Amino acid sequence: MTTAVTDTGLGTIRAGILGGGFMARVHRTAARDAGGEVRAVATRSVAAGRDAADALGASRAEPDAASLFGATDIDVVHVCTPNATHVDLAARALAAGKHVVCEKPLATTAHDARRLADAAAADGLVAAVPFVYRYHPMIREARARIASGDAGELLTLDCSYLQDWMLLPTDDDWRARSDAGGASRAFADIGSHLCDLIEFVTGEHIHSLSARTRRVFAERGGVAVDTEDIAAVLVETSSGALGTLLVSQMAPGRKNALTLELHGSRQALRFEQERPEELWIGGREGSTVLLRDPATASPDSARLQRVPAGHPMGYQDAFNAFIADVYAAIGGARPEGLPTFEDGWRAAVLTEAVLASAADDGRWTEIPE
């Protein structure tokens, strides 16, 4: 079971949400599941804020972000706004003494992400980024098996994150343009999740990479596009393992196909986010599919399993577990595997390396540890 907020000794964690879209709804649901209370919402306008407060079931709408930051009855701010606004809003929330959960990418540059991570550390505030796929129990099971040595030495990786929501030239979104979404779209948006999982599960850093990117349409919805649709990346980890990563938002039929396949010298492990109850374990003499079961899981996996085996858990469950860990950390706990602003900075470093390599015809680029 995840740690409940009421166990922290602080009582109810009081949340404020910036934004009113899909991710705001996910954050709201997770905050309530963790025992928190959504006190206030602020969006781009007063009218939109009132609508969002009603939709999210918040106690009130604040007229703007400054009012939300100044509220004395808010402990944590959830930043669920377009990418280009994250740095300013997260920095102001931290300066106001609030704990922060900021959607990824944490920042559109590694420099800005570093500033935020340093600010949170200096003020002793909890600052987290929703790399929530870490919270699928079978991801924790894969991590435990690698850490125990069951898989052996890591040899190769075959990983991908595929979607199709930008397949057509008429498909458009604010993320397609760098002024709102940042210089990278596909990699920063979903490739960051993939790389975070690779490093989290294997315990190794991506040491170097070679990347190519592709922008399929010059325009979407009649407006020029300046971000990539696809990224193909070769990677080498700190132990020398080699791997391929394919990231695309133009893969027909793939809705949210995040796949991690890791080949060790004794076992291979494969996790598919669209089949989160399973972990494929490959061996020379035969392969098996391990189904989620708290009775037989590793301790770190079992603590996230809130329902018995055979009762499917999914994305919202993973998000709920993430927020429960954030709120427990606010109460002084040290949850295992909580993704922080440091991890957000790491994702920004990798994103910049991918763009730099692609701009230099796939040049191998070393990543700082």
Side-chain angles (χ1 to χ4, degrees), residues 105 107-110 182-189 191-193 195 209 211 213 228 344-358 367:
T108 57
T109 70
S184 170
R185 174 171 33 97
F187 191 85
D189 188 25
S192 59
H193 275 298
C195 290
L209 59 81
T213 61
E228 83 283 356
W345 166 74
R346 176 68 182 174
V349 168
L350 288 167
T351 299
E352 289 189 351
V354 165
L355 294 183
S357 175
I367 314 299

Side-chain angles (χ1 to χ4, degrees), residues 137-183:
M138 301 313 285
I139 278 290
R140 298 294 178 114
E141 188 66 28
R143 183 176 187 242
R145 287 169 179 264
I146 288 178
S148 69
D150 288 353
E153 177 189 356
L154 184 64
L155 303 176
T156 57
L157 312 87
D158 180 17
C159 306
S160 60
Y161 200 155
L162 307 176
Q163 300 174 332
D164 71 357
W165 67 288
M166 295 294 275
L167 180 63
L168 305 176
T170 51
D171 294 328
D172 198 11
D173 186 82
W174 57 262
R175 295 173 180 82
R177 281 161 282 281
S178 61
D179 57 349

Side-chain angles (χ1 to χ4, degrees), residues 260-279:
L260 203 71
E261 183 163 312
L262 310 173
H263 308 132
S265 56
R266 287 194 287 274
Q267 286 183 348
L269 302 170
R270 180 182 178 90
F271 173 81
E272 300 179 34
Q273 195 276 151
E274 292 182 333
R275 303 174 66 91
E277 295 281 281
E278 303 175 1
L279 180 67

Side-chain angles (χ1 to χ4, degrees), residues 17 25 27 39 42 95 102 113 129 133 151 175 182 217 304 331 335 337:
I17 297 178
R25 295 192 297 274
H27 282 247
R39 286 289 178 90
C102 183
V129 177
Y133 298 117
R175 295 173 180 82
F217 301 121
L304 301 177

